[in-house]
């Protein structure tokens, strides 16, 4: 196992590889053959892990993804975009029998509705998690836990191996389409930083308010950082608690896609540099805030090396 300072990557994660088609406008679909006009659209690289890795690299970090893509135009777009962003894609495989995943989002200023075709999003298999992965990065980030169903059974053992071999770890489950929320607390003892939003924290903990949810989730061991949108961020570790207000109020929100993933990247970039929790939250919020000004999760990302 290479020492942390000699590893080629700061962070490695499994990519929920896909593209996002983001439709913007003050319009909600109506069945019955109604045709309605929208304001704009954007076709961009999607997937929580990909947005996360892109923002992390733009802050001066080194990030790579493990993934599969189809041999189709959407796969071409996703892979080319990752390469252009300087994300390490050496562990992404193309598959002629696979369709690249796509998420179609109708975005309003404060919310969005998403339809997802899984395809390549859930194509990575346990055999793709190799010893070489552990030897290539000093931190493992697990994104989109509920969408990566092929890997769900192996995560407890994998995160345990990460910890035993000196990697730090983080987890952002994202939303559970099945609304069961099972398996997460089993991972928390092997997780250093858990990054849910407020709705996810409540659902996973079974509590009715954010403070109780944060404290309960932190009792399993990790630093818990709850993203609360316009209500800011609350963090919990043992008997410690931090509460930070939102980083301003944008005059115009174009799209909220990827704001949480970009927060994760900013927070973890600062955390891996040894900054204290309020500083980590501050950088995370700057990243989330910046991404609100453009459609998709990439174009608005914060740029600038953080040391």
């Amino acid at each position: 196992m290479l020492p942390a300072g000699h590893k080629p990557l700061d962070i490695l994660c499994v990519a929920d590889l896909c593209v996002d088609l983001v439709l913007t406008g003050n319009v909600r679909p109506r069945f019955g053959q109604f045709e309605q006009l929208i304001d704009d659209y954007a076709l961009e690289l999607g997937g929580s892990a990909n947005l996360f890795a892109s923002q992390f690299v733009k802050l001066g970090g080194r990030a790579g993804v493990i993934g599969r893509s189809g041999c189709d135009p959407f796969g071409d777009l996703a892979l080319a975009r990752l390469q252009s962003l300087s994300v390490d894609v050496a562990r992404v495989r193309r598959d002629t029998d696979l369709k690249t995943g796509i998420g179609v989002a109708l975005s309003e200023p404060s919310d969005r509705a998403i339809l997802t075709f899984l395809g390549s999003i859930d194509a990575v298999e346990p055999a793709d998690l190799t010893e070489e992965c552990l030897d290539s990065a000093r931190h493992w980030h697990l994104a989109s836990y509920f969408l990566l169903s092929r890997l769900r059974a192996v995560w407890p053992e994998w995160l345990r191996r990460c910890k035993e071999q000196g990697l730090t770890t983080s987890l952002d489950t994202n939303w559970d389409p099945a609304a069961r929320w099972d398996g997460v607390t089993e991972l928390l003892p092997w997780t250093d930083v858990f990054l849910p939003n407020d709705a996810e924290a409540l659902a996973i903990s079974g509590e009715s308010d954010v403070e109780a949810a944060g404290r309960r989730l932190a009792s399993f061991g990790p630093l818990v950082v709850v993203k609360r949108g316009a209500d800011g961020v609350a963090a919990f570790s043992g008997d410690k608690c931090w509460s930070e207000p939102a980083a301003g109020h944008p005059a115009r929100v174009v799209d909220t896609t990827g704001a949480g993933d970009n927060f994760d990247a900013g927070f973890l970039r600062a955390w891996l540099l040894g900054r204290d929790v309020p500083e980590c939250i501050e950088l995370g919020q700057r990243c989330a805030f910046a991404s609100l000004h453009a459609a998709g999760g990439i174009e608005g990302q914060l740029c600038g090396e953080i040391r």
Side-chain angles (χ1 to χ4, degrees), residues 215-235:
R215 292 189 183 281
R216 172 163 172 71
L217 295 169
S219 72
F220 290 93
L223 166 63
V224 177
V225 184
V226 183
K227 297 166 285 190
R228 308 188 65 197
D231 292 324
V233 177

Side-chain angles (χ1 to χ4, degrees), residues 130-269:
T130 65
E131 193 71 23
E132 185 272 339
C133 297
L134 296 175
D135 207 34
S136 295
R138 63 191 186 102
H139 182 92
W140 184 271
H141 180 63
L142 200 173
S144 292
Y145 167 77
F146 292 110
L147 294 183
L148 302 177
S149 62
R150 296 189 186 200
L151 298 176
R152 202 174 302 174
V154 307
W155 285 131
E157 173 64 16
W158 179 257
L159 292 181
R160 183 189 65 78
R161 288 178 63 193
C162 287
K163 298 296 292 177
E164 288 179 349
Q165 298 197 40
L167 282 73
T168 50
T169 59
S170 54
L171 168 66
D172 186 345
T173 63
N174 300 120
W175 194 254
D176 180 7
R180 289 194 293 264
W181 304 99
D182 55 347
V184 179
T185 56
E186 185 181 355
L187 304 180
L188 296 184
W190 305 107
T191 301
D192 289 297
V193 184
F194 180 36
L195 297 145
N197 65 28
D198 46 7
E200 294 157 357
L202 295 175
I204 293 164
S205 68
E207 301 289 348
S208 58
D209 68 83
V210 168
E211 182 173 351
R215 292 189 183 281
R216 172 163 172 71
L217 295 169
S219 72
F220 290 93
L223 166 63
V224 177
V225 184
V226 183
K227 297 166 285 190
R228 308 188 65 197
D231 292 324
V233 177
F236 306 85
S237 178
D239 59 357
K240 296 180 181 178
C241 178
W242 299 263
S243 182
E244 300 291 336
H249 300 280
R252 178 170 178 259
V253 175
V254 175
D255 180 26
T256 59
T257 299
D261 305 308
N262 290 318
F263 175 94
D264 295 353
F267 186 97
L268 289 171
R269 176 62 175 154

Side-chain angles (χ1 to χ4, degrees), residues 6 26 46 50 73 81 90 104 114 132 138 145 154 160 179 244 247 265 283 289 300 303 306:
H6 297 277
N26 189 22
N50 304 306
R81 193 72 168 114
V104 180
I114 307 170
E132 185 272 339
R138 63 191 186 102
Y145 167 77
V154 307
R160 183 189 65 78
E244 300 291 336
L283 182 56
F289 189 87
C303 295
I306 306 297

